[in-house]
Amino acid sequence: MNTQHLVFDNGSYNIKAGFVEQERPIKVQNAISKARDGHLYIGNDFQSSSSYSGLVFKRPHDQGHLVSWECEKPIWDYTMNEILNNKELDANSVHLTLTETPFQLPQLSMNTDQIVFEEFGFHSFYRCPSPSLAPWGFSDVSKVSDFALVIDSGYNATWIMPMIYQRVYWQGVKKLPIGGAVLDGLLKEMISFRHYDVSDEPSLVTTIKEKTCFLAQNFKESLQSRKSNSCEFILPDFKTTKVGYVKTKNTPVDTDAQSLKLFDERFSVPEALYHADIIFDNIASNSAPIQTASFKSLTDLVVQSIMSCPEVSRPLLSANILASGGTAKLPGFMERLRSELTKELPSDWLVQFKENGIDLEESNWFGGRALASSDIVNTVSISKKEYFEHGSNWCQKQFGFKNL
């Protein structure tokens, strides 16, 4: 039987999916959205709406965990139709490589396994944490290092995952519970307090973040020169633009267009990755436990992750850092982290990011495609026959994280 290989990077914001023969994955919004008029949209269908204003998104993930298959199933069906151009999927001849969040709750993973085999009926299946695929994302597989430290900054969180001989070193896996969702919420609060109420405009806030925000290389200096870092964002009028855009010197702008002048918001929001207390600046003073709590920064967790690994591997990990995820696409992300780590790690260690020229949001999918194209995938996968023979616990024994 000629088996096709389908790779699903099931992110909590976007699904990146496609067969290994495809040059690039398709991206589908992993959400069901509801317009003000009550109309429901699945996946990317909301883009056909005349207005993004007032859209409410329901996502099947909560805190990174896939908790609602009632919501996820129709999104998967939509994604399959997009990949196959409305042709019917013969799941009996398809191998599925599927990603999930690290430390996914076992019962939730077992629910996923049940859907994969009993609802969709895939021939075979490999489930793994999304960041673990990043080292495979190089076009030249010989460049896949035996030691890699993956910084996967996505929508719900930022994960630090050491990979030793292409296996997850679970004792070193760390989580910073700050990702695109938290940054969106912080930007929404800042804009609503300083400018306009955008509390009902999640799509607009995300667009503003993606087009204007960046990581300052020196936060204090950038704060002192906040005016030089200003930009003007033209708000959507739903006639000439549905999403808005950044005004430049050569941009023709309608005289009636509404705009938003952004200053320190551009770099103060992403700075939460390094100074989480920014998030709690507006919390009432009677929240003493939160106000006095010590929060780990991204730098602290990366250093902790490296130091949790075997001593001989530590300098090798710092020299082979891979970034992935949509939040890692913010300008200055890698440069700032490299600068911070250089200050904290031993001076004779090389701190280096490896780049493969792939969109960071898609790099895990490309890694999954490379893995699915290799012979290794056959040794780590579980077939539908094995699943029904051994029961639902079998997948968890094979794919689940090791108890620490």
Side-chain angles (χ1 to χ4, degrees), residues 153 183 206-218 222 229 246 265-271 273-274 323 325-338 355 360:
S153 190
L183 301 187
T206 300
T207 301
I208 294 173
K209 179 196 69 180
E210 292 175 348
K211 293 188 176 183
T212 67
C213 287
F214 65 94
L215 266 298
Q217 299 309 300
N218 187 308
S222 297
N229 287 310
V246 176
E265 299 96 335
R266 298 184 64 198
F267 53 87
S268 293
V269 168
E271 189 66 19
L273 292 164
Y274 294 94
T327 302
K329 292 170 64 175
L330 289 174
F333 182 92
M334 285 185 275
E335 293 81 359
R336 172 66 181 277
L337 185 54
R338 182 189 297 114
E355 299 183 55
L360 295 181

Side-chain angles (χ1 to χ4, degrees), residues 3-27:
T3 302
Q4 292 181 289
H5 289 268
L6 177 64
V7 181
F8 248 71
D9 184 9
N10 199 45
S12 53
Y13 184 76
N14 273 335
I15 295 174
K16 285 73 66 179
F19 290 99
V20 295
E21 296 81 11
Q22 294 178 215
E23 290 187 7
R24 293 189 64 182
I26 67 162
K27 290 183 183 178

Side-chain angles (χ1 to χ4, degrees), residues 276-294:
D277 49 304
I278 289 175
I279 301 170
F280 304 105
D281 279 348
N282 296 322
I283 290 180
S285 58
N286 58 3
S287 303
I290 291 180
Q291 295 287 5
T292 59
S294 176

Side-chain angles (χ1 to χ4, degrees), residues 66-81:
L66 178 51
V67 297
S68 174
W69 270 104
E70 293 80 4
C71 181
E72 188 70 282
K73 177 69 164 55
I75 301 171
W76 271 36
D77 290 335
Y78 171 93
T79 305
M80 299 293 186
N81 285 334

Side-chain angles (χ1 to χ4, degrees), residues 212-232:
T212 67
C213 287
F214 65 94
L215 266 298
Q217 299 309 300
N218 187 308
F219 181 65
K220 290 184 180 179
E221 289 183 3
S222 297
L223 206 55
Q224 292 170 354
S225 58
R226 57 193 292 270
K227 289 186 178 180
S228 64
N229 287 310
S230 66
C231 78
E232 191 171 356

